[in-house]
Amino acid sequence: MGSSNGQRLGITEPISLAGPTDDDLMRTRKLEKYLRDVNLYESQEEAVSREEVLGRLDQIVKIWVKKISRAKGLNDQLLQEANAKIFTFGSYRLGVHGPGADIDTLCVGPRHATREEDFFGELHQMLTEMPEVTELHPVPDAHVPVMKFKFSGVSIDLLYARLSLWVIPEDLDISQDSILQNADEQTVRSLNGCRVTDQILRLVPKIQNFRTTLRCMRFWAKRRGVYSNVAGFLGGINWALLVARICQLYPNAVPSMLVSRFFRVYTQWRWPNPVLLCAIEEGSLGLQVWDPRRNPKDKYHLMPIITPAYPCMNSSYNVSTSTLRIMMDEFQRGHEICEAMEKNEADVDWDTLFEPFTFFEAYKNYLRIDISAENADDLRNWKGWVESRLRQLTLKIERHTYNMLQCHPHPGDFSDKSKPLYCSYFMGLQRKQGVPVGEGEQFDIRLTVKEFKQAVSMYTLRKPGMQISVAHVTRRNLPNFVFPGGVRPSRPSKGTWDSRRALERKVSSHTKPGADDGRKRKQTDDNVDTHLRNAKCHATMPSSSGEFREGSPIVSTISSSSINLQFEHMDANELVGSNREKVENNLTDSIRDSRNSVEVSSHNGKVDGPMIGDPRNKGLSFNSSNSKDAEKLAIEKIMSVYPFYIIISLDCSALIFNPIMLTVIWFHFGYIYLRKCHGFLNFSTLGSN
């Protein structure tokens, strides 16, 4: 059932065992040709160069560990057996890396080789003295400490794992859970990349189809601006896990089919139902695994994509409300294009799917974050720190405006050639769509921006010259260096899928009742630039000394009914009431919209029953079918094996003293239970009842 030895892969049965048709094979050949034409495959010469670099790096760490073993006075036997070993993970290990991509590597060393003194001390010094090593940049205080450098022109990210062994065997198998025994947290995190990568390759039915599909999806995500873990979207490991799950559900599908099914499944996916490749195991080492029933932080994850190696973690905890909305919109767009391709519609092909997202045409208002430093090394360090904090700005804006002001962070950075030690980031801003605009309603994010800049200024390695400023810019005032070739387009893009769909929606809206209201709203939106020019609000910028100085005018008021960033302050009682109302509304919506249930019993604080994704849960009894309605039902059934996270993930503390809401919840759960157990109630009437 989906693997070469007949065993089922994944926690459910496949959705379909159907193989490709002639049309599917033809589309796959076109897809593979497209990926080659856009230069996603490295040359044979580059592949050989990478292998040589990895071999040389392995020799270096072996010399390093013998050197420190001798310095620490180990006996002759341990000195002779002293060893360290290099492993790879990430895109290189998965086989989906492209030309110029970096190699994620892990150095595994013995217990007497410390991270601080030996890895970031002695090994760093050895690398510094080698002429083939350039751009050496240690990051010892990162969540996963790393040493970044180029070796003979090949970019390397080197992690370190210190095991409790005196001797590292050459045939070490790091997939065994016992390798984590007595390991510190940083070692567990460092080992996780290799262990997850290897487990993914074990859990997909046909590795080559998986690799081609993943290469395609990574390229698509980068073109559409949703490839960035640090910006709150998804990174390489997240996309790999999502694609691997589709491969499990369609084990005999070829890449063109898998791409189409990817969008079909995840367009219908009801987050925060988690994506799992295998059951989550408790393990015997007592390490914390992802479980929203036990871990408070896990309750608030919006898009859980769970790693398959112990300890299982959510790899996508950075996703925010805004970035999840953006990705779901992109999934829907991809689904529509793949449907059109399967219908052989004219002017729709792989080029259409991979059209780049025109970020600087999509919004009328942007937040611009500029940073600068005195030299290249300082700028690199400063960039890394600021990028790691940008997601917090998005979250703060969402929280402080109660998700009424939506942010779309651009995953990349931009440089002005006339300012070599200067870098800019941009966020698109828009009011939440479908929400009525109140008269004079305003959002004030001055305090939000100030808090963000204060947090950034806490950088412990900050040096004089490291500066940051935040400003509002309209679309018409965007700097030229953000556009391809530094040339601003004379008119918006036309003839693209997005522009055609926008035009169709516009025409459709004019034929419906209430179209006049839509035109009025658009006219109001068009006045935003005029109001913005009248906004005169200044923000302070922290200097390297920790003091604040006056900066350039920044966003503070986008004074129109479309977006106003002059937010009216509320007192504590109003805030509590607002939060409570929001929770109640969300809870009711979750109960009405959900089609799954959970039975979680508690005894003395312990959760009974099978773990998340336990194989004891019933799988699918669905065989191959070309009916999309049947396939949709199968996707619904997949999610029915998961616990009812939507209810658990809400913060119900605001409901404790609300007897009415507790009564409503009680009857809703009773209703679901009766339907599940006795089958005599109609789920379609659940919302109305």
Side-chain angles (χ1 to χ4, degrees), residues 592-613:
R592 182 177 64 250
D593 294 340
S594 180
R595 299 291 186 272
N596 50 10
S597 62
V598 64
E599 296 179 12
V600 180
S601 59
S602 178
H603 178 67
N604 295 330
K606 295 183 178 180
V607 180
D608 300 330
M611 278 296 293
I612 305 159

Side-chain angles (χ1 to χ4, degrees), residues 322-338:
S322 289
T323 53
L324 175 58
R325 171 188 56 82
I326 292 163
M327 287 188 284
M328 291 302 294
D329 288 345
E330 288 298 329
F331 291 162
Q332 181 63 39
R333 173 188 178 275
H335 175 59
E336 293 173 0
I337 292 174
C338 288

Side-chain angles (χ1 to χ4, degrees), residues 178-194:
S178 59
I179 208 76
L180 302 175
Q181 197 158 8
N182 299 323
D184 57 64
E185 289 186 11
Q186 292 173 320
T187 290
V188 172
R189 295 191 205 110
S190 298
L191 286 165
N192 192 53
C194 289

Side-chain angles (χ1 to χ4, degrees), residues 451-506:
E451 288 180 1
F452 164 72
K453 294 167 75 173
Q454 286 176 333
V456 170
S457 70
M458 299 299 290
Y459 182 41
T460 56
L461 301 179
R462 190 173 186 186
K463 297 180 180 180
M466 291 182 175
Q467 301 291 342
I468 180 170
S469 64
V470 183
H472 164 260
V473 291
T474 60
R475 183 196 301 163
R476 69 180 65 180
N477 294 324
L478 286 167
N480 289 338
F481 62 77
V482 304
F483 299 104
V487 178
R488 181 187 298 270
S490 58
R491 60 184 62 187
S493 302
K494 293 184 178 179
T496 65
W497 174 273
D498 296 337
S499 63
R500 294 198 299 269
R501 284 296 180 267
L503 181 60
E504 290 173 4
R505 286 192 294 268
K506 185 176 180 180

Side-chain angles (χ1 to χ4, degrees), residues 191-434:
L191 286 165
N192 192 53
C194 289
R195 289 165 53 81
V196 168
T197 302
D198 289 347
Q199 189 73 343
I200 290 173
L201 294 175
R202 294 188 188 99
L203 290 172
V204 293
K206 296 180 181 179
I207 291 179
Q208 190 53 49
N209 287 344
F210 163 74
R211 284 174 170 159
T212 301
T213 307
L214 178 55
R215 198 182 290 271
C216 168
M217 294 311 305
R218 285 163 55 94
F219 180 65
W220 171 84
K222 292 174 182 177
R223 297 279 281 186
R224 299 302 299 173
V226 291
Y227 188 99
S228 174
N229 186 279
V230 71
F233 296 106
L234 302 181
I237 190 63
N238 311 126
W239 294 108
L241 291 168
L242 291 181
V243 170
R245 184 64 181 128
I246 299 302
C247 291
Q248 291 179 340
L249 295 174
Y250 300 89
N252 298 320
V254 293
S256 65
M257 298 170 64
L258 292 170
V259 171
S260 173
R261 296 335 182 253
F262 179 98
F263 292 118
R264 187 179 300 174
V265 169
Y266 292 123
T267 296
Q268 300 177 49
W269 200 267
R270 292 195 311 276
W271 307 102
N273 282 301
V275 172
L276 300 165
L277 298 188
C278 59
I280 295 180
E281 298 179 359
E282 288 278 8
S284 59
L285 301 179
L287 298 175
Q288 181 174 296
V289 299
W290 185 83
D291 187 351
R293 300 173 298 182
R294 292 183 175 135
N295 308 323
K297 289 183 179 180
D298 295 345
K299 296 178 183 180
Y300 303 100
H301 293 167
L302 301 178
M303 193 182 188
I305 303 172
I306 310 305
T307 56
Y310 176 77
C312 297
M313 310 172 187
N314 176 24
S315 63
S316 52
Y317 59 87
N318 276 351
V319 173
S320 69
T321 303
S322 289
T323 53
L324 175 58
R325 171 188 56 82
I326 292 163
M327 287 188 284
M328 291 302 294
D329 288 345
E330 288 298 329
F331 291 162
Q332 181 63 39
R333 173 188 178 275
H335 175 59
E336 293 173 0
I337 292 174
C338 288
E339 291 276 291
M341 279 197 288
E342 290 175 354
K343 294 176 183 177
N344 295 318
E345 290 187 11
D347 300 327
V348 180
D349 54 17
W350 293 114
D351 268 324
T352 310
L353 181 67
F354 296 116
E355 285 174 356
F357 178 66
T358 52
F359 179 81
F360 292 107
E361 295 178 11
Y363 301 97
K364 294 183 178 180
N365 300 285
Y366 297 86
L367 205 59
R368 172 177 174 176
I369 301 96
D370 295 328
I371 65 172
S372 60
E374 290 187 350
N375 58 66
D377 288 339
D378 285 355
L379 182 62
R380 182 169 58 248
N381 295 336
W382 188 225
K383 278 181 62 177
W385 170 253
V386 173
E387 286 175 357
S388 71
R389 310 310 300 170
L390 285 176
R391 188 178 70 91
Q392 296 301 319
L393 178 58
T394 302
L395 295 175
K396 285 177 182 292
I397 292 175
E398 290 176 350
R399 182 169 63 250
H400 292 176
T401 64
Y402 300 97
N403 290 320
M404 292 297 103
L405 184 61
Q406 297 177 333
C407 300
H408 183 170
H410 192 287
D413 60 83
F414 298 85
S415 298
D416 186 349
K417 292 182 179 179
S418 64
K419 301 178 180 179
L421 299 176
Y422 177 91
C423 185
S424 298
Y425 302 90
F426 291 86
M427 292 184 183
L429 298 173
Q430 69 175 10
R431 175 182 291 277
K432 184 178 181 180
Q433 297 180 358

Side-chain angles (χ1 to χ4, degrees), residues 481-597:
F481 62 77
V482 304
F483 299 104
V487 178
R488 181 187 298 270
S490 58
R491 60 184 62 187
S493 302
K494 293 184 178 179
T496 65
W497 174 273
D498 296 337
S499 63
R500 294 198 299 269
R501 284 296 180 267
L503 181 60
E504 290 173 4
R505 286 192 294 268
K506 185 176 180 180
V507 172
S508 176
S509 68
H510 283 296
T511 62
K512 295 179 180 179
D516 291 338
D517 293 337
R519 285 194 292 271
K520 291 178 182 177
R521 284 195 299 272
K522 185 179 186 304
Q523 291 172 359
T524 305
D525 291 350
D526 290 339
N527 292 329
V528 66
D529 294 339
T530 303
H531 290 284
L532 282 168
R533 285 194 297 271
N534 296 330
K536 298 296 183 182
C537 176
H538 294 262
T540 56
M541 179 175 67
S543 66
S544 58
S545 63
E547 298 177 350
F548 291 93
R549 65 181 179 83
E550 199 70 10
S552 58
I554 70 157
V555 171
S556 294
T557 42
I558 303 184
S559 183
S560 81
S561 58
S562 173
I563 302 179
N564 286 310
L565 299 185
Q566 191 90 29
F567 178 75
E568 294 294 335
H569 294 286
M570 304 173 66
D571 62 31
N573 292 330
E574 290 174 323
L575 287 171
V576 172
S578 176
N579 282 336
R580 181 171 299 172
E581 182 180 357
K582 286 161 64 67
V583 172
E584 291 173 0
N585 292 338
N586 289 339
L587 184 58
T588 304
D589 291 343
S590 297
I591 295 173
R592 182 177 64 250
D593 294 340
S594 180
R595 299 291 186 272
N596 50 10
S597 62

